[in-house]
Amino acid sequence: MPNQIQLPYYTIKATDLASWIEQQGEMWWFVDGDPLLTSFVNFPCPPDELIKALQKVDKNALIFDPREGITAKGEAMELEQMDDMADKNNNSSARTFLLQWADDDWQWLMMEDPAAAKDAEENAA
């Protein structure tokens, strides 16, 4: 594991992350900064595309906790905690997550993309 990690973080399996995304309905997603996922998927994408990519990756990710006073150092995370890990301090209040593959040094963002979801819904109608 990289030595530079200073933020509190939990560990989540990519397949569990895929299960959580599946529970979020038709929300589209955007990933920024991860060459692995972007090699499988063009972003933004519908949930089924991201789910398939995460299932293919099938390794552990670190998800960073933005809250004050948290001291997590890699404990396994329950899916019910995902919303607690979301940073919503942005123009659209979209849930944004900071992650890193456990065997890599690159931190990357995964965020919901309400505008892409709305466009897809309007184009389907």
Side-chain angles (χ1 to χ4, degrees), residues 38-102:
T38 57
S39 71
F40 296 124
V41 179
N42 291 320
F43 292 99
C45 72
D48 59 322
E49 292 180 22
L50 182 53
I51 289 165
K52 287 177 189 170
L54 288 166
Q55 290 169 337
K56 186 182 285 190
V57 169
D58 192 24
K59 60 182 181 174
N60 288 333
L62 310 179
I63 184 165
F64 296 92
D65 194 326
R67 298 174 295 173
E68 296 282 330
I70 302 297
T71 60
K73 296 202 185 304
E75 297 87 345
M77 192 183 84
E78 300 295 326
L79 291 183
E80 296 78 29
Q81 294 176 278
M82 278 297 294
D83 278 332
D84 295 336
M85 304 299 122
D87 181 357
K88 297 178 187 173
N89 189 16
N90 55 65
N91 290 342
S92 64
S93 298
R95 293 176 291 181
T96 302
F97 303 91
L98 178 62
L99 297 109
Q100 174 178 327
W101 296 115

